[in-house]
Amino acid sequence: MKHTLSFSRIAFSAALISTGIIGTGFSNAFADETIRDLAKERHRFIGTILNSEWFNDDIEPEFEEIHKTQFNVVVAENEMKFDATEPNENEFNFTKGDKMVEYALANGIRVRGHALAWHSQVAGWVSSNYAGQKDKLLAVLKNHIEKVVGHYKGQVAEWDVVNEAVNDDYNADWRSTNSVWYEGIGAEFLDSAFVWAHAADPNAELCYNDYSLEWGLREGSKASFVVEQVKRWKANGIPITCVGTQTHIEIAHETTPQNVRALAKALAELDVTLNITELDIGFPKGSAGKLTDADYAKQGHLYRQFMDVFLEEPNMGEFVIWGLTDAHSWLDEQQGKTEGLLYDKNYKPKPAYDSIMVSLKAHPASEVKSPYPESLFKDRMDCQTGNCGDSTIAIKPAAIATHLSMQIAGRTLSIAGANAAKVDVFDVQGRPVFSAKNVKGFVKLQDLAEGLYMIRVREGSASLTKRIAIR
Ligand code: XIL
């Protein structure tokens, strides 16, 4: 029902535009759009990490340009983890985290904090000084959470309070080995972590975050175990507000979007938000260089299905991808996978980018519910907190502002403001159906069947997208 309505509205407005009944043709009727703008209109957040290379000023200039234009929520890849923020006992280092918060504030981007209590990337001194000593470990964890959350109070909107505390066994239970917190304290470290984080910033959202939750709700599954814990936490007044499903998946994992939908529905019953926190959809590493258009279209289709679920479930808030460009991704470095992100190694958007845009457009803002208050999405020049929504500062850098415009009349696409444009047309599933290079003036879209399409025109860094109906 929702889809039927959405598509008929798009068809209606696109038909009006293409026949010239409404719209101003060459000017604002074809204003450029970003996935950030579309997410914001729907009162949702779309984001990606700042890679460690960004913190070290060792990344291409395109990275930041695209990052702040296309995304409105950000996470540090490694720089807010325990070993980065408290490398020595009670000696805190917030330099890199502060750099990110400053960048986020200047660009109207919400900040996720990642991660407070995790078995991995804990500073070495914790185990070497205190392994197995319950009271000491409780004091260490409490101090860490108080200092870190306290430092970022009002600036970090949401914390991954506990990360990956469930094991990988068939009968899910707490991770009981290689976890200094669990082995020394027991499962109560989780409850305490949430309580301490809430005391340090009562307005921050507090998440439990884990991987493989997208494998579904089944007897003994990780997702079912987590839902049971959330029930217990809520019943006991533990201040959890969200669950993060990391969603590091592979191209073959075709059922996972629907598993995420089922998890969202189960958490909605408990009044808890579900966020996609670390999405990537990797190909096997050996396939690099051999991937076909059909492979990228399949990846786009999966991205789109995740975005569809995200927009259709009212208790989902953030859609975060673990990386921006395939040039900088933990998949290649550590996972034996490759090419899982929205932009290729040359910062060109892949079909997955277009699929996400198509999904956003197919779900009009009027039909997308949000778990957040409207005030979060108001424009504000003077933004004092990370919770404050979009500032108007530097959201659209000059390089992205475009002189391009386009108009469709019948099957003729007229383009102004370009000497050699690249034109791409996609169907509503995000699959490429037409492409032309070096277009000046106009191009005929002869072979397209009747229907709805997305058109993208690009020249250099200028880019314009528009939906149309071909009749
Ligand atoms: C990864 C980073 O991307 C790597 O740079 C680092 O070496 C290891 O951690 N789940 C998480 C993230 O919660 O923190 C991990 O990030 C990826 C898996």
Side-chain angles (χ1 to χ4, degrees):
M1 184 61 178
K2 201 175 244 179
H3 274 119
T4 318
L5 264 176
S6 314
F7 286 133
S8 61
R9 266 186 217 165
I10 291 171
F12 181 64
S13 56
L16 291 180
I17 289 166
S18 66
T19 52
I21 294 170
I22 61 165
T24 49
F26 280 87
S27 55
N28 44 358
F30 294 113
D32 200 5
E33 280 168 313
T34 63
I35 51 178
R36 170 185 173 139
D37 289 340
L38 295 171
K40 183 191 166 197
E41 273 170 26
R42 286 151 185 76
H43 292 181
R44 297 293 187 96
F45 293 101
I46 183 160
T48 184
I49 57 175
L50 282 171
N51 292 79
S52 291
E53 292 91 334
W54 178 86
F55 291 90
N56 299 331
D57 295 324
D58 185 22
I59 203 154
E60 301 76 14
E62 292 95 321
F63 180 90
E64 188 177 307
E65 195 80 337
I66 294 174
H67 193 280
K68 64 191 176 198
T69 309
Q70 297 291 343
F71 301 103
N72 61 354
V73 56
V74 67
V75 192
E77 180 170 27
N78 289 300
E79 290 64 20
M80 283 201 185
K81 294 173 180 175
F82 196 119
D83 57 355
T85 48
E86 195 180 352
N88 299 302
E89 184 167 2
N90 206 26
E91 282 177 22
F92 289 85
N93 184 343
F94 296 121
T95 312
K96 289 188 174 174
D98 288 353
K99 178 177 168 174
M100 175 171 80
V101 167
E102 205 177 300
Y103 163 81
L105 280 176
N107 292 290
I109 298 174
R110 171 180 169 99
V111 180
R112 297 195 83 242
H114 173 83
L116 298 171
W118 186 24
H119 65 279
S120 186
Q121 294 180 273
V122 185
W125 61 265
V126 179
S127 284
S128 40
N129 295 354
Y130 302 119
Q133 301 179 49
K134 181 168 182 172
D135 289 349
K136 295 278 188 196
L137 286 169
L138 280 168
V140 165
L141 189 58
K142 179 169 189 277
N143 185 53
H144 182 79
I145 290 175
E146 281 174 359
K147 295 276 169 56
V148 176
V149 177
H151 179 81
Y152 291 111
K153 185 176 179 188
Q155 297 184 316
V156 168
E158 174 172 304
W159 283 98
D160 284 334
V161 178
V162 180
N163 194 29
E164 303 183 351
V166 182
N167 67 19
D168 296 329
D169 297 346
Y170 176 72
N171 281 311
D173 201 340
W174 298 120
R175 179 188 298 277
S176 58
T177 54
N178 297 322
S179 165
V180 68
W181 308 120
Y182 186 88
E183 288 170 272
I185 301 172
E188 69 188 74
F189 91 83
L190 289 98
D191 302 31
S192 299
F194 278 102
V195 171
W196 294 325
H198 182 64
D201 187 352
N203 293 322
E205 299 228 24
L206 304 179
C207 295
Y208 176 78
N209 194 51
D210 214 329
Y211 58 89
S212 297
L213 300 183
E214 72 280 357
W215 283 102
L217 291 163
R218 282 182 316 275
E219 172 105 32
S221 77
K222 210 162 177 172
S224 298
F225 182 78
V226 168
V227 169
E228 285 313 305
Q229 300 315 313
V230 174
K231 267 186 204 155
R232 182 177 62 79
W233 284 323
K234 294 293 275 188
N236 294 346
I238 300 296
I240 181 171
T241 64
C242 40
V243 166
T245 173
Q246 294 184 3
T247 327
H248 296 288
I249 65 156
E250 294 169 24
I251 196 74
H253 296 168
E254 291 174 12
T255 61
T256 45
Q258 296 317 321
N259 294 340
V260 168
R261 189 192 292 285
L263 180 58
K265 289 191 189 302
L267 291 170
E269 302 274 305
L270 304 172
D271 196 23
V272 163
T273 304
L274 178 64
N275 294 317
I276 294 175
T277 51
E278 304 185 17
L279 180 61
D280 43 38
I281 306 179
F283 292 98
K285 191 149 191 177
S287 61
K290 297 179 208 143
L291 296 170
T292 63
D293 288 352
D295 293 326
Y296 289 117
K298 185 173 177 196
Q299 183 183 48
H301 186 57
L302 255 177
Y303 263 105
R304 174 179 178 160
Q305 287 176 290
F306 278 111
M307 185 48 89
D308 287 347
V309 167
F310 172 72
L311 294 170
E312 287 161 15
E313 296 306 319
N315 64 323
M316 296 193 74
E318 296 169 326
F319 186 102
V320 181
I321 302 161
W322 203 250
L324 184 155
T325 159
D326 292 332
H328 302 282
S329 166
W330 83 307
L331 291 182
D332 296 87
E333 287 155 19
Q334 298 171 23
Q335 295 294 295
K337 292 191 259 177
T338 195
E339 312 227 6
L341 304 172
L342 296 192
Y343 289 81
D344 73 10
K345 291 193 166 67
N346 298 314
Y347 290 93
K348 286 228 177 68
K350 290 154 61 178
Y353 175 90
D354 300 297
S355 300
I356 283 186
M357 183 163 274
V358 167
S359 172
L360 282 157
K361 289 192 171 239
H363 295 82
S366 57
E367 289 177 14
V368 176
K369 298 201 174 73
S370 169
Y372 304 116
E374 208 170 326
S375 56
L376 225 55
F377 298 88
K378 291 253 181 319
D379 285 333
R380 280 202 233 160
M381 286 295 286
D382 179 26
C383 182
Q384 294 302 319
T385 76
N387 248 337
C388 71
D390 264 349
S391 90
T392 51
I393 309 161
I395 290 170
K396 289 208 165 194
I400 308 291
T402 177
H403 50 280
L404 289 175
S405 62
M406 64 168 130
Q407 190 168 43
I408 182 103
R411 285 170 179 268
T412 304
L413 176 73
S414 306
I415 296 168
N419 290 319
K422 170 108 172 23
V423 175
D424 292 292
V425 182
F426 305 90
D427 67 13
V428 287
Q429 302 297 329
R431 289 182 291 245
V433 291
F434 175 88
S435 175
K437 282 185 187 152
N438 298 321
V439 176
K440 186 175 181 185
F442 69 91
V443 63
K444 293 266 187 197
L445 305 176
Q446 276 323 359
D447 297 330
L448 294 186
E450 284 190 2
L452 294 175
Y453 297 94
M454 286 280 301
I455 296 194
R456 185 179 62 209
V457 175
R458 279 186 292 180
E459 189 176 55
S461 60
S463 167
L464 190 60
T465 54
K466 194 64 209 164
R467 60 178 180 239
I468 55 152
I470 296 275
R471 292 166 183 286

